[in-house]
């Protein structure tokens, strides 16, 4: 098996100390048939290039993802690069692997780290605005660049700059349980949101019933009023109107059924 050179300083053409010479190993991989020996050699190459992938992952720290997750994503990109690299094309593995690993990390941020779904174009506008703000803010004492400043610096339309600036706030969502700034009594964002008002449905029902109630005979209207608005019992209503409780019960049932049919017919 071709050994992987672990000391890259012997190859001054490499830009970093974590870029070992694995050209011989890749030539051997290309010659081997698919099988355990080929996979073992690929794994050896992956281990040799892991410091490079870790270096790339570290460049994306402090962006909301844990270092270990970033490392894992970078390793996925490295494995893909080792598997797909074709030494016969003449380019060095580093020139192929670095864009592959970087692309995997960026894809992870694009697909998994947004709190809200944001279109690809808006994500790109956000990145351009973010970069421009960093370039225009040369010291902590500098004021934040204006929309016009960013548009002039990037050549973007001011409308696109505004879209990008709004997207800066979409990368991470704020919990509804988060306390409002300046609130010292536990007042949270959720406390500012409205809720469904149950009385709205009651208003609709009452307005639908009004014309139906007006068409009822006077005695039936009085029975409904006494029963449902004055909370009178059927026995007391019967005594007050001089009729039997059974008669009151039948009138209530018949009247409520009639009202229900009329309201249903109006709604249909």
């Amino acid at each position: 098996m071709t050994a992987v050179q672990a000391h890259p300083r012997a190859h001054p053409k490499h830009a970093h100390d974590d870029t070992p010479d694995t050209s011989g190993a890749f030539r051997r991989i290309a010659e081997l048939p698919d099988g355990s020996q080929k996979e073992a050699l690929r794994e050896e190459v992956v281990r040799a290039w892991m410091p490079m992938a870790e270096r790339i992952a570290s460049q994306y720290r402090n962006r909301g993802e844990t270092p270990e997750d970033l490392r894992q994503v970078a390793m996925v990109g490295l494995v893909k690069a080792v598997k797909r690299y074709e030494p016969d094309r003449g380019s060095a593995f580093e020139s192929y692997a670095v864009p592959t690993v970087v692309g995997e990390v960026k894809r992870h941020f694009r697909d998994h780290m947004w709190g809200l779904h944001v279109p690809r174009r808006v994500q790109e506008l956000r990145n351009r605005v973010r970069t421009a703000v960093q370039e225009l803010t040369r010291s902590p004492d500098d004021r934040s660049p204006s929309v016009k400043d960013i548009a002039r610096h990037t050549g973007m339309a001011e409308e696109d700059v505004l879209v990008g600036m709004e997207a800066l706030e979409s990368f991470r969502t704020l919990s509804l349980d988060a306390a409002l700034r300046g609130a010292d009594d536990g007042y949270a964002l959720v406390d500012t949101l409205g809720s469904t008002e149950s009385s709205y449905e009651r208003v609709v029902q009452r307005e639908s019933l009004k014309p139906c109630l007006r068409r009822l005979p006077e005695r039936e209207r009085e029975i409904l009023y006494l029963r449902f608005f004055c909370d009178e019992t059927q026995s007391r209503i019967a005594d007050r109107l001089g009729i039997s409780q059974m008669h009151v019960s039948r009138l209530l049932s018949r009247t409520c059924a009639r009202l229900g049919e009329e309201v249903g017919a109006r709604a249909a």
Side-chain angles (χ1 to χ4, degrees), residues 35-246:
S36 58
Q37 188 177 2
K38 188 171 188 174
E39 288 304 314
L41 188 52
R42 278 177 173 162
E43 291 177 5
E44 184 179 345
V45 172
V46 167
R47 285 194 293 271
W49 284 90
M50 283 174 60
M52 181 272 295
E54 292 173 346
R55 168 170 56 82
I56 293 175
S58 68
Q59 296 172 1
Y60 292 86
R61 63 184 182 275
N62 300 326
R63 297 192 185 185
E65 186 59 290
T66 64
E68 181 57 30
D69 285 344
L70 282 175
R71 181 179 180 277
Q72 293 297 327
V73 173
M75 293 307 160
V76 170
L78 174 60
V79 170
K80 290 181 178 180
V82 171
K83 187 173 183 179
R84 299 171 183 173
Y85 176 62
E86 299 179 11
D88 292 342
R89 292 183 176 273
S91 60
F93 176 69
E94 182 183 6
S95 63
Y96 177 78
V98 170
T100 303
V101 175
V102 169
E104 193 71 24
V105 173
K106 288 185 175 181
R107 185 159 45 250
H108 174 77
F109 276 95
R110 185 187 70 220
D111 297 340
H112 301 286
M113 294 301 294
W114 287 83
L116 298 176
H117 175 70
V118 178
R120 178 71 176 273
R121 174 180 174 274
V122 176
Q123 293 183 27
E124 294 173 350
L125 292 176
R126 170 198 176 274
N127 292 337
R128 293 179 65 184
V129 168
R130 178 176 175 274
T131 301
V133 170
Q134 291 176 342
E135 293 174 350
L136 292 172
T137 306
R138 305 188 182 283
S139 71
D141 297 331
D142 287 350
R143 66 174 180 84
S144 298
S146 66
V147 173
K148 290 184 177 180
D149 293 335
I150 297 173
R152 185 164 49 249
H153 183 74
T154 60
M156 298 166 60
E158 291 187 13
E159 292 80 4
D160 289 340
V161 173
L162 289 172
V163 171
M165 293 177 73
E166 290 180 357
L168 288 171
E169 304 300 326
S170 301
F171 196 73
R172 283 292 187 182
T173 54
L174 183 64
S175 171
L176 291 176
D177 294 325
L180 293 178
R181 182 178 300 177
D184 54 2
D185 55 356
Y187 196 68
L189 181 61
V190 68
D191 297 320
T192 67
L193 303 180
S195 59
T196 302
E197 177 54 68
S198 59
S199 297
Y200 289 159
E201 185 65 24
R202 187 176 302 173
V203 170
V204 173
Q205 292 172 350
R206 285 182 176 178
E207 290 302 313
S208 300
L209 275 172
K210 279 183 179 180
C212 302
L213 290 172
R214 294 191 187 103
R215 290 193 292 268
L216 289 175
E218 183 178 352
R219 185 172 65 172
E220 293 182 18
R221 287 203 307 269
E222 185 176 2
I223 291 174
L224 289 176
Y225 175 76
L226 293 172
R227 179 71 185 91
F228 296 109
F229 289 85
C230 299
D231 201 24
E232 295 280 3
T233 64
Q234 292 184 14
S235 297
R236 295 180 64 178
I237 295 173
D239 293 341
R240 180 167 181 169
L241 299 180
I243 57 178
S244 68
Q245 180 182 346
M246 185 64 69

